Amino acid sequence: MSIVKRFLAAAGLLLAVAAAPAHAALKVLACEPEWGALVQELGGPLVDVAVATTAMQDPHQIQAKPSLIARTRNADLVVCTGAELEVGWLPVLLQQSGNARVQAGQPGNFAAADYVRKLEIPTSVDRSQGDVHAAGNPHIQTDPRNIGTVAVALAARLQQVDAANAAQYAQRATAFQQKWQAAVARWTQQAAPLRGVPVVSQHKGYVYLYDWLGIKEVAVLEPKPGVEPSAAHLQEVLATLKATPARMVIYSAYQDSRPAEWLGKNAGIAVVKIPFTVGGTDGAKDLFGLFDDTVARLLAGASPK
């Protein structure tokens, strides 16, 4: 073989290698930032994650934009909270996408709330009660123990839908659980002074957080779930605190802070913003930062002034 022919053969081989498809990452659409972060922890370079919402958006109120429909159409796996949190927009995304892989009941459709114990399950539901979810309170991500439980189920689902890389998902899941369970023990110990502390919430969004830490909710600024605080209701809450004092009023990063600030000023209590999900504050850059920052902010709010 001549030198020229050898060169052309080698060049042809290089072109063939370059044209061969690289490993195709599993395309995942997460409804909320906490699940996007968890998929990234469990999948690493094996997954290509897009998140439908940000920490500065109310996850109840999202528009099914064409860009989200397009991402759903191409997704191998959709990971959401479930428990009706996304009932106003996720069904539209799934229907409009025409993607059979991610429809409800398929392996490509994962609802985190299916794998944890739900709190505040109502005995009856009607619109006069506000934005109440028949399946129970959906804000499960505020308890890190739930994150650990969901991680087990989600790792198994990743192995199911991407069987070729099952061993790598299993390895990453084991490493994540070791690190996560150690962090949960540390946060629980750090937050021990919060046990029994009375608080006011802007929205019924922290029931799992309170259940984990033993915090006592004495009032809520929203007169009904999803209904903005009215001046009359704020006055009622202020009157309640005279008989049942609270140490702080808590609101989420995505919420209007003015009702909490009004109550804090008039009741003389701390006003505490918590990230609520990954990206809600500068300190909540990932799942570990989310709870590092949440616990630190609650401890600061509960400290005597």
Side-chain angles (χ1 to χ4, degrees), residues 13 34 93 97 126 138 155 234 236 251 270 283:
L13 178 61
E34 63 270 20
L93 289 186
S97 74
D126 65 64
L234 289 176
E236 290 177 9
Y251 71 100

Side-chain angles (χ1 to χ4, degrees), residues 47-150:
V47 293
D48 174 14
V49 184
V51 181
T53 61
T54 74
M56 298 306 161
Q57 292 178 295
D58 182 346
H60 302 84
Q61 310 290 339
I62 300 298
Q63 289 187 341
K65 297 182 296 186
S67 59
L68 290 178
I69 294 172
R71 182 69 196 202
T72 309
R73 183 176 299 123
N74 297 322
D76 301 302
L77 177 64
V78 171
V79 179
C80 299
T81 297
E84 301 181 352
L85 177 64
E86 304 96 351
V87 69
W89 52 278
L90 181 59
V92 177
L93 289 186
L94 296 176
Q95 181 182 27
Q96 294 293 319
S97 74
N99 183 349
R101 298 189 303 274
V102 298
Q103 300 302 312
Q106 297 302 311
N109 186 303
F110 181 91
D114 288 351
Y115 300 93
V116 302
R117 176 178 62 97
K118 263 81 73 186
L119 302 176
E120 294 185 339
I121 298 175
T123 55
S124 63
V125 177
D126 65 64
R127 296 309 299 170
S128 68
Q129 298 170 315
D131 191 12
V132 174
H133 301 276
N137 192 306
H139 303 299
I140 62 171
Q141 86 284 357
T142 58
D143 182 344
R145 299 172 301 181
N146 286 343
I147 299 287
T149 301
V150 171

Side-chain angles (χ1 to χ4, degrees), residues 24-29 39-40 43-50 71 76-77:
L26 191 76
K27 290 183 172 59
V28 181
L29 176 66
V39 172
Q40 198 64 66
L46 300 173
V47 293
D48 174 14
V49 184
R71 182 69 196 202
D76 301 302
L77 177 64

